[in-house]
Amino acid sequence: MGIKSFFVAALWLLAPAIAHAGDAAAVPVWKRGVEHQRQADLGDGTFLNPVLAGDRPDPSVLKDGDDYYLTLSSFTAYPGLPLWHSRDLINWRPVGHAITKNVGSIWAPDLVKHKGRYYIYFPARVGGTESPRRSNFVVWADDIRGPWSEPVDIGLPGHIDPGHAVGEDGKRYLFLSAGDYVQLADDGLSTVGEVKHVYDGWRYPESWDVEGYAQEGPKITFRNGWYYMITAVGGTAGPPTGHMVIVARSRSIHGPWQNAPNNPVVRTTSRDQYWWSRGHATLVEDAGGQWWMIYHGYERNFWTLGRQALLDPIAWTDDGWFVAKGGDLSQPLPKPAGKALSPHGMALSDDFRGGRLGPQWAFYDPAPDETARLSFGDGVMSLQGKGTSPRDSSPLGIIAGDLAYQFEVEMEVEPGAQGGAVLFYNDRLYAGVGSNGEQFVMHRYGLERPGKLAPSAKGGKLWLRVKHDRHIVTIHTSTDGSTWTKYPVQMEVSGYHHNVAGGFLALKPSLYAAGQGKVHFRNFRYRALD
């Protein structure tokens, strides 16, 4: 055994002890990659969570030969259902998106491959988090890179979080929230028969601080003659100690399902731990035969970043159950087997010379014809104005995964238009600055000061820079791109998150165009800060 191999093996033995022994108040130190963004791979045979930083909730991972593909909840962002590719579960590269048609807020998907074809099953809700208007859909493709089908509505409005499985009878099934399941047609595009109840779940002690029971996100894995159902309970936000992973197994897809003796297999037990609300897991095996769970969690005190993708090693026990080995995930762990793709992640900066919307961008809750507002040419992205402010203009946003960063953009505002750079959570909560080319309007708490900026007859050209440093927002403006003036108001945005405004979203660097004219954007630049 070489020195490096011995070191990695020793880390496997020590990892649980290291994870529990770490200083709960310490902030992990990541390696930096493209644009100084955080990356998990430390370059020494170990990694440090998150494996995908930023808003990457409900990750569903598919092992496909030597490759892994991942999708996740995209909620109100379109294009939606982003797809990522990896060969070691640590280093990920973007593939594209599986949906452009807005069918509602997309929740926990399941990415599967059946008889050579790829499917993504997902629920979508129209009208907000609490709206009863919802259904379940599927998209499919013969190549993971697309083209993907138009979404097929398969109904089931009383359920969310479909998880695909193939039974011992060779039939296809969808497992659903609340312990229910239903048979699928052989083509996977419709249901057969009635929904049946098959699993009552596992109940946590009443004394625990938990948002609510919410049995959801079932994922089925078949191993050594057993079907394992991995389920999330406890609510996905609320108290940091709420969300958790529970496990049940059965010899038959139809049950009965027996709960694991060590439930919950994952749970944040204290708000002092670095990762909060850990849950919603999928099992996956690496190239060396080691098994893992990939799930999401909130970074301590950074609900604003959304739920981030976390990787946790598991060990199978002699009686056929498994235990989580990663502790609280605040310390480095040995990497999975497999060849790394490089570079990890995706550049967020954009010179707008690609002739189309870059893969980092997505509209907030777009109308069917939203992309008609866009045009490109000679390093310019032109966006036709819509609405009067960020709240009704469907801003274009990116996902930031760093605790501190800044972004800037050059902006030419036509007469009658208004453009700006904001940190956007949803149409009720955002912060930043806008301009009609001559005057500024401050956006704070989802409100405008002044209440409405009158259209300019001349428009104008300016540069905006937004620095977001651990919840403190500082804005600079410039008339030439070299001499910058600090905007007279700074903001604190730690409360711009789901526990305040609902929606399960994240605070995203965003650009908007409102009013009657167009706003022309050039040279968008993102940079993570230490």
Side-chain angles (χ1 to χ4, degrees):
M1 179 183 291
I3 293 176
K4 182 176 180 180
S5 298
F6 176 81
F7 173 69
V8 172
L11 270 175
W12 267 116
L13 294 174
L14 292 173
I18 292 173
H20 289 297
D23 178 3
V27 175
V29 178
W30 290 269
K31 193 171 182 180
R32 299 288 177 159
V34 59
E35 298 169 336
H36 207 55
Q37 295 178 40
R38 294 191 291 179
Q39 66 178 43
D41 194 336
L42 300 182
D44 61 358
T46 69
F47 75 96
L48 182 60
N49 277 294
V51 292
L52 273 175
D55 192 33
R56 320 289 181 183
D58 307 318
S60 173
V61 64
L62 166 68
K63 181 177 173 63
D64 187 18
D66 294 331
D67 299 293
Y68 303 92
Y69 297 103
L70 178 147
T71 193
L72 43 86
S73 295
S74 48
F75 294 94
T76 51
Y78 284 86
L81 292 174
L83 289 158
W84 292 81
H85 174 220
S86 178
R87 289 197 166 160
D88 67 351
L89 296 170
I90 301 298
N91 294 279
W92 294 89
R93 299 288 296 152
V95 172
H97 293 81
I99 190 171
T100 56
K101 180 181 179 180
N102 187 346
V103 294
S105 181
I106 292 177
W107 292 17
D110 193 25
L111 170 63
V112 299
K113 187 178 184 181
H114 183 75
K115 294 185 177 180
R117 177 168 283 181
Y118 299 92
Y119 300 82
I120 302 176
Y121 294 90
F122 63 93
R125 188 185 298 255
V126 177
T129 305
E130 305 305 323
S131 170
R133 296 170 55 201
R134 64 188 185 189
S135 192
N136 287 271
F137 296 82
V138 59
V139 292
W140 59 267
D142 292 319
D143 187 316
I144 193 74
R145 291 166 178 78
W148 286 83
S149 74
E150 287 294 299
V152 178
D153 189 341
I154 58 176
L156 306 169
H159 294 83
I160 59 171
D161 299 4
H164 180 272
V166 178
E168 67 272 22
D169 53 8
K171 299 295 185 181
R172 304 173 67 177
Y173 297 88
L174 281 184
F175 281 74
L176 305 162
S177 55
D180 295 345
Y181 80 134
V182 66
Q183 186 178 330
L184 285 170
D186 290 344
D187 65 4
L189 304 182
S190 62
T191 61
V192 176
E194 298 297 319
V195 173
K196 299 177 182 178
H197 185 73
V198 71
Y199 175 54
D200 291 331
W202 175 88
R203 295 284 174 170
Y204 46 78
E206 186 178 316
S207 60
W208 288 5
D209 293 329
V210 174
E211 182 182 40
Y213 184 64
Q215 184 180 322
E216 57 193 13
K219 298 290 188 292
I220 307 296
T221 296
F222 184 74
R223 180 182 183 271
N224 291 349
W226 288 100
Y227 290 95
Y228 292 85
M229 187 192 308
I230 318 301
T231 306
V233 296
T236 196
T241 55
H243 208 31
M244 63 195 82
V245 177
I246 65 170
V247 179
R249 72 181 182 186
S250 174
R251 291 292 189 185
S252 169
I253 201 75
H254 308 290
W257 292 87
Q258 173 191 4
N259 280 313
N262 60 323
N263 276 334
V265 295
V266 169
R267 175 178 175 251
T268 300
T269 57
S270 166
R271 73 183 70 188
D272 295 327
Q273 292 178 342
Y274 193 76
W275 291 102
W276 290 353
S277 301
R278 293 186 291 151
H280 205 109
T282 301
L283 293 189
V284 63
E285 184 181 14
D286 73 17
Q290 166 67 37
W291 285 78
W292 303 79
M293 281 186 292
I294 189 163
Y295 52 76
H296 62 222
Y298 284 107
E299 198 159 359
R300 184 180 62 211
N301 298 322
F302 282 88
W303 276 305
T304 52
L305 284 176
R307 293 165 293 168
Q308 306 184 52
L310 309 172
L311 192 66
D312 194 341
I314 66 172
W316 293 96
T317 56
D318 291 340
D319 57 2
W321 296 105
F322 63 84
V323 294
K325 300 294 289 182
D328 66 4
L329 303 188
S330 65
Q331 301 294 324
L333 294 165
K335 283 179 56 180
K339 183 179 180 180
L341 295 175
S342 181
H344 165 79
M346 174 173 55
L348 300 179
S349 300
D350 198 340
D351 61 10
F352 302 121
R353 295 189 178 278
R356 58 187 177 88
L357 194 65
Q360 65 272 55
W361 296 101
F363 282 106
Y364 173 81
D365 196 17
D369 61 347
E370 204 72 51
T371 55
R373 299 173 59 203
L374 286 168
S375 59
F376 295 87
D378 196 26
V380 178
M381 178 181 73
S382 299
L383 186 59
Q384 175 64 48
K386 172 184 175 181
T388 60
S389 67
R391 74 172 57 248
D392 55 7
S393 65
S394 294
L396 275 170
I398 60 173
I399 296 173
D402 298 290
L403 307 185
Y405 57 84
Q406 70 178 33
F407 62 99
E408 62 184 57
V409 68
E410 178 185 345
M411 192 171 73
E412 186 174 352
V413 184
E414 289 186 355
Q418 177 180 312
V422 294
L423 292 166
F424 189 86
Y425 181 79
N426 66 11
D427 55 3
R428 296 181 292 115
L429 195 56
Y430 48 85
V433 68
S435 175
N436 61 8
E438 294 186 277
Q439 299 169 296
F440 291 107
V441 57
M442 181 177 68
H443 305 295
R444 187 164 61 168
Y445 322 123
L447 301 171
E448 278 64 56
R449 290 186 182 180
K452 186 176 181 181
L453 192 62
S456 166
K458 296 192 306 181
K461 184 176 181 179
L462 68 156
W463 284 254
L464 298 177
R465 176 186 292 162
V466 178
K467 180 181 178 182
H468 182 197
D469 187 353
R470 295 163 180 83
H471 307 311
I472 304 301
V473 179
T474 306
I475 296 168
H476 286 80
T477 66
S478 175
T479 57
D480 59 9
S482 58
T483 302
W484 294 85
T485 300
K486 185 177 180 180
Y487 195 73
V489 176
Q490 288 180 273
M491 310 177 200
E492 202 280 345
V493 294
S494 63
Y496 288 45
H497 57 75
H498 171 80
N499 282 354
V500 172
F504 300 108
L505 306 176
L507 199 56
K508 296 181 179 180
S510 301
L511 305 176
Y512 80 92
Q516 299 303 310
K518 292 184 177 180
V519 180
H520 308 284
F521 296 98
R522 295 177 175 87
N523 298 317
F524 178 83
R525 294 287 177 264
Y526 176 93
R527 173 79 177 172
L529 307 173
D530 288 325

